[in-house]
């Protein structure tokens, strides 16, 4: 069986398992989407939003990109943010990074990688902004701290977006959260409790 065929078989088995445990699962799922959370996270396959917070499909709206960036000119991310806030009326926007992020580590190196260098430039701006804090850290500490600083910066970008400003102006309940995930123990840390 080819790898891709195995994925289709996995899907068939998953679908069957879901129906066996809850015969109405897919009917309920197809009726409407009403999540309370928007998750903006990294594309890294080791950080599956639903699973690490224990939610089922339909409970969390997800946008992922390399290094969980929220860039004011990224219409893909902003469209997701606007849909989540204005249409789905999510109550929480979670920016979640993770330690050991390849995008963060690539931004710390001076090796040219091609097109992605333009994307990683946003992270290099954060490195420059916090250069004094990062200067005396070893490689591991620098990467970990930059992962945290990046999450905080992206959360600030969400808060400064016209989408969130307008929602708050009209009194819509909305909170922005800065989280980081550890691949080593599977735990989330709320950075607003630690570093803000």
């Amino acid at each position: 069986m080819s790898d891709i065929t195995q994925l289709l078989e996995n899907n068939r088995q998953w679908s069957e398992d879901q129906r066996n445990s809850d015969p109405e699962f897919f009917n309920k799922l197809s009726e409407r989407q009403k999540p309370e959370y928007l998750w903006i996270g990294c594309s890294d396959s080791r950080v599956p939003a639903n699973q690490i917070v224990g939610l089922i499909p339909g409970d969390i709206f997800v946008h992922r990109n390399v290094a969980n960036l929220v860039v004011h000119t990224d219409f893909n991310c902003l469209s997701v943010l606007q849909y989540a806030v204005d249409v789905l009326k999510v109550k929480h926007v979670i920016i979640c990074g993770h330690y050991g992020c390849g995008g963060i580590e690539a931004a710390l190196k001076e090796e040219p990688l091609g097109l992605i260098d333009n994307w990683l430039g946003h992270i290099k701006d954060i490195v420059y902004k916090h250069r004094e804090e990062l200067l005396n850290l070893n490689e591991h500490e620098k990467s970990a701290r930059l992962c945290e600083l990046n999450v905080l910066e992206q959360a600030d970008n969400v808060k400064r977006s016209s989408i969130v400003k307008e929602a708050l102006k009209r009194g819509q309940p909305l909170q922005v959260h800065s989280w980081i995930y550890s691949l080593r123990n599977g735990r989330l840390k709320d950075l607003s409790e630690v570093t803000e």
Side-chain angles (χ1 to χ4, degrees):
M1 184 179 296
S2 75
D3 292 343
I4 207 73
T5 304
Q6 183 62 54
L7 293 181
L8 294 169
E9 175 56 27
N10 292 352
N11 170 257
R12 186 197 64 71
Q13 186 61 53
W14 173 78
S15 172
E16 191 174 298
D17 291 347
Q18 290 299 323
R19 277 198 203 105
N20 288 339
S21 66
D22 179 1
E24 290 300 308
F25 178 80
F26 291 107
N27 288 336
K28 290 185 280 189
L29 191 62
S30 66
E31 286 176 7
R32 73 180 232 197
Q33 174 176 231
K34 193 67 177 144
E36 291 193 19
Y37 312 97
L38 167 61
W39 174 283
I40 300 176
C42 185
S43 296
D44 192 303
S45 62
R46 301 169 295 175
V47 189
N50 287 65
Q51 287 176 288
I52 64 177
V53 292
L55 295 177
I56 62 170
D59 284 351
I60 192 165
F61 199 59
V62 177
H63 175 77
R64 293 167 64 163
N65 62 49
V66 173
N68 46 272
L69 295 180
V70 178
V71 179
H72 295 296
T73 55
D74 178 2
F75 292 112
N76 184 346
C77 183
L78 294 178
S79 296
V80 170
L81 179 61
Q82 182 169 26
Y83 186 79
V85 171
D86 293 348
V87 178
L88 296 176
K89 305 287 189 208
V90 297
K91 293 182 174 71
H92 304 273
V93 177
I94 299 163
I95 309 301
C96 187
H98 65 96
Y99 295 116
C101 178
I104 297 294
E105 291 176 358
L108 284 168
K109 297 178 181 163
E110 294 301 319
E111 301 169 15
L113 298 171
L115 180 64
I116 196 163
D117 290 331
N118 298 289
W119 186 253
L120 297 178
H122 299 289
I123 299 168
K124 290 181 182 206
D125 291 343
I126 300 169
V127 172
Y128 183 76
K129 181 178 176 181
H130 297 276
R131 63 192 175 280
E132 290 182 22
E133 178 183 352
L134 297 171
L135 184 64
N136 294 319
L137 301 177
N138 67 39
E139 188 176 317
H140 174 74
E141 292 168 336
K142 188 180 292 186
S143 172
R145 183 59 181 147
L146 184 55
C147 288
E148 294 173 348
L149 291 169
N150 181 51
V151 168
L152 294 169
E153 187 79 21
Q154 304 320 311
D156 285 345
N157 287 346
V158 168
K159 292 173 191 174
R160 288 192 306 266
S161 72
S162 59
I163 299 157
V164 169
K165 284 182 185 177
E166 288 298 317
L168 294 174
K169 190 189 300 182
R170 64 180 175 260
Q172 184 173 336
L174 186 62
Q175 294 180 318
V176 179
H177 307 273
S178 308
W179 291 359
I180 194 147
Y181 177 72
S182 172
L183 296 169
R184 297 198 179 278
N185 65 17
R187 301 293 302 270
L188 288 162
K189 179 167 57 171
D190 185 348
L191 292 175
S192 63
E193 295 176 357
V194 178
T195 56
E196 288 187 332

